[in-house]
Amino acid sequence: MFKIKMGSLLLLLAMVVSCNFTEEIFLEENGSGKISINFDGSELMQMGGDEMMGSTEKAIDSTLSFKQFLEDKKDSIAALSPEQQAKLKKLEPFNLHMVMNPETKEMKFDMYSSFKNINEIGDAFNTFQNMDALSPAGRANQPQFLSNDNKSSEVSYSFDKSTFTRKAKILNTTLHQQAIDSLAGAEMFLTGSTYTLKYHFPKRVKSASAEDATFSADGKTLIYQVGFLELMKNPEILNLEVELEE
């Protein structure tokens, strides 16, 4: 599965016309649920599928348990730096479903995990980025704005009775500015990229702080999309507070 040239994939992410991420949460009344980060890079596959998979690679449709993977590879992982080991450890609660097909030009990643309390889940997007630790050789090719080695921001979630919040916080303004500066050469390619929140609530939404959000017919699903470039520059644009009906 990980014979795929991850370094080439990450490098092409900086040049792709459209990278579409979806952060999806299914929330139950007791605060438990499921979260997933979905990446649709089919357009990326159309641009460089042969380069990423190699001429002899077959189509992939596979699901990986990171917990099992880390157990199976524990001896090799022990030889990594403490920083890389810590990044891999954050992947442990997640599973990854990956589809890559050079014939149909399809490439999709879905990293997902169940949780007992949404207050306990970390920044899922940064955890998604931790997959670069699976391929240390590819790190040199990774664009700085896709790297979280020096994390400049974090996201937290909370749910209390009928109030849900998603809050981003910049941790280090200097590092964040460096990440913004690294976007300079990729801005024209990232303008078509998107990041979408798709949240499924146990009750109808009474109000939401995101004025441009849309809702499902039953009023229980909120969809809110922003430009990926704008999100990288200002993580707080996806700050969200949702009030549910009693």
Side-chain angles (χ1 to χ4, degrees), residues 2 6 10 66 87-88 91 96 109 111 126-135:
F2 288 101
M6 294 297 290
L10 293 168
F66 281 112
K87 291 178 71 173
L88 288 172
L91 291 168
L96 175 68
F109 295 85
M111 192 181 78
N126 276 338
T127 304
F128 182 88
Q129 291 173 275
N130 284 342
M131 286 197 298
D132 78 315
L134 294 168
S135 179

Side-chain angles (χ1 to χ4, degrees), residues 63-70 92 94-96:
T63 299
L64 171 73
S65 163
F66 281 112
K67 183 177 182 179
Q68 186 62 51
F69 175 82
L70 295 179
E92 188 173 27
F94 289 87
N95 296 295
L96 175 68

Side-chain angles (χ1 to χ4, degrees), residues 7 10-11 132 135-144:
L10 293 168
L11 180 61
D132 78 315
S135 179
R139 291 158 57 84
N141 290 331
Q142 186 176 14
Q144 185 178 349

Side-chain angles (χ1 to χ4, degrees), residues 230-241:
E230 287 71 30
L231 177 63
M232 293 296 96
K233 291 182 177 181
N234 179 18
E236 296 179 3
I237 65 173
L238 281 183
N239 284 359
L240 182 67
E241 181 172 312

